[in-house]
Amino acid sequence: MSYEDVKKVWMNGRLVDFADARIHAFSHVFHYGSAMFEGARVYKTRNGSAAFRLDEHIKRLYDSCKVYRMEIPYSPEEFKAAILDTIRANGFEECYIRPLVYRGLGALGVNPFKSPIDILIAVWKWGKYLGDEAIDQGVDVCVSSWNRMAPNTFPAMAKATGNYVNSALIKMEAITNGYTEGIALDNSGRVSEGSGENLFLVYGGRILTPPLAGTILPGITRDTVITIARDAGYTVAEQQIAREMLYIADEVFFTGTAAEITPIRSVDRIPVGPGRRGPVTERLQKDFFGLLSGDIEDRYGWLTPVLVEARV
Ligand code: PPE
């Protein structure tokens, strides 16, 4: 990945050059994973650039911070304006948005209260998360030998950077064994989520996804898919899912800001259905990408215009 075209990074209220976007080695976050973060995307729609569900991403960031007793010294509206400024300062018509609220340089030691709350907003161009062909062709995944966090250990509803050491174990094991991604089970052996994606399956004519019960991130793409699937007439249920359902489901797919809607064509080398993207996944992709391109009207109010002046 090259970050050559990233010009500016927002740090504690100032837009600084990419080269100056540094934090001190003694920062609490570096030693203890004490940051809350988000990932959102800006799409180039037929009506101009727009951020997808930015208010919901900001809300989740504030929620994550609330769980970890971190007070953001800005209102959500100010935060949103800062994000839009950062996108415009970089002139990106399409990009990924990564705000971070972290414990900075204060006092090391587990106690985070002695380190200040610092904020940065980074944006960059990020293509297809699981490979260029993944969206059409699907990906080959495994069930991870690593479980997702158990309830009341690491709060799964908070998007904390520290949680991602578990994600990295899932991802590294998958890649090392020749898979694109891993699906983690929860501590009772039921299906949880991918290293950076929520999971859905089509089984018995219904769309199923694991519930918000302390082992998955409350994904915004997950909520989007539940909404557009119901609007398309499908029955969607949030319920516990047995591992073996992954092997006998008609369709399985990932959702996430980075992964968007990515079909899964095999799990542990067992083909999902006929081993390629299924019709329900394709229909949901069509509705989802139609919204993001502006071809389908945004009746949900999910798109925030960015008003980028294209760079010459
Ligand atoms: N679960 C996890 C663990 C997760 O990290 C993500 C997002 C999701 C589910 C889907 O959530 P949402 O984006 O709100 O639909 N993962 C982000 C980070 C990926 C990364 O490698 O960094 C993302 O997709 O932006």
Side-chain angles (χ1 to χ4, degrees):
M1 181 112 57
S2 153
Y3 299 108
E4 259 171 32
D5 47 5
V6 179
K7 299 273 178 277
K8 295 285 181 186
V9 179
W10 193 99
M11 294 186 87
N12 290 331
R14 288 193 313 128
L15 282 163
V16 303
D17 289 343
F18 177 81
D20 300 324
R22 300 175 190 283
I23 68 168
H24 197 277
F26 277 40
S27 298
H28 193 274
V29 62
F30 183 50
H31 297 245
Y32 307 108
S34 48
M36 302 302 129
F37 74 112
E38 270 307 315
R41 275 192 194 264
V42 172
Y43 289 92
K44 192 173 164 184
T45 80
R46 59 159 68 203
N47 310 308
S49 292
F52 185 65
R53 303 200 72 176
L54 189 56
D55 291 325
E56 289 87 343
H57 282 283
I58 292 171
K59 167 79 166 72
R60 189 171 64 186
L61 181 63
Y62 279 72
D63 287 350
S64 300
C65 289
K66 191 171 185 188
V67 172
Y68 280 92
R69 303 176 193 276
M70 297 166 87
E71 201 156 329
I72 301 177
Y74 299 98
S75 69
E77 294 71 32
E78 289 167 331
F79 210 110
K80 185 176 179 178
I83 290 172
L84 296 174
D85 280 348
T86 312
I87 300 161
R88 287 190 286 258
N90 285 280
F92 292 153
E93 293 186 291
E94 283 197 293
C95 64
Y96 186 82
I97 308 167
R98 169 58 53 81
L100 270 137
V101 180
Y102 61 97
R103 294 280 183 179
L105 178 61
L108 291 176
V110 168
N111 176 8
F113 287 134
K114 295 176 180 165
S115 297
I117 306 285
D118 287 336
I119 298 175
L120 71 80
I121 302 165
V123 298
W124 69 88
K125 290 199 179 152
W126 207 358
K128 295 297 170 205
Y129 190 55
L130 298 174
D132 282 341
E133 296 186 337
I135 299 284
D136 301 328
Q137 305 294 314
V139 290
D140 300 306
V141 310
C142 59
V143 172
S144 185
S145 71
W146 294 103
N147 287 352
R148 206 71 183 122
M149 63 276 257
N152 208 31
T153 57
F154 299 84
M157 294 187 81
K159 193 170 167 71
T161 55
N163 294 349
Y164 285 77
V165 289
N166 170 264
S167 291
L169 290 169
I170 296 164
K171 189 76 178 185
M172 288 190 292
E173 181 186 57
I175 291 171
T176 302
N177 292 324
Y179 299 97
T180 302
E181 181 58 287
I183 297 170
L185 306 178
D186 65 22
N187 70 323
S188 61
R190 296 188 179 92
V191 174
S192 176
E193 62 181 348
S195 73
E197 311 88 358
N198 291 117
L199 189 107
F200 285 78
L201 34 88
V202 180
Y203 179 80
R206 298 190 306 154
I207 299 174
L208 307 178
T209 197
L212 300 181
T215 87
I216 66 167
L217 185 76
I220 288 159
T221 321
R222 174 184 180 277
D223 180 73
T224 301
V225 164
I226 292 172
T227 305
I228 61 179
R230 285 188 176 142
D231 285 355
Y234 295 108
T235 303
V236 185
E238 298 176 56
Q239 64 162 63
Q240 290 184 327
I241 293 170
R243 169 180 182 163
E244 57 273 26
M245 247 192 224
L246 295 168
Y247 307 128
I248 56 180
D250 296 316
E251 301 181 32
V252 185
F253 59 89
F254 282 132
T255 67
T257 297
E260 299 171 314
I261 298 176
T262 299
I264 294 172
R265 65 182 174 196
S266 72
V267 182
D268 294 334
R269 305 282 178 227
I270 300 176
V272 175
R276 53 177 183 276
R277 174 174 63 186
V280 178
T281 311
E282 193 171 350
R283 165 71 203 268
L284 295 171
Q285 284 181 327
K286 210 163 143 262
D287 290 357
F288 180 65
F289 290 119
L291 268 172
L292 302 175
S293 65
D295 290 341
I296 294 176
E297 195 203 326
D298 172 26
R299 60 195 170 96
Y300 308 100
W302 283 341
L303 293 167
T304 302
V306 180
L307 302 174
V308 183
E309 280 177 50
R311 246 195 280 152
V312 274

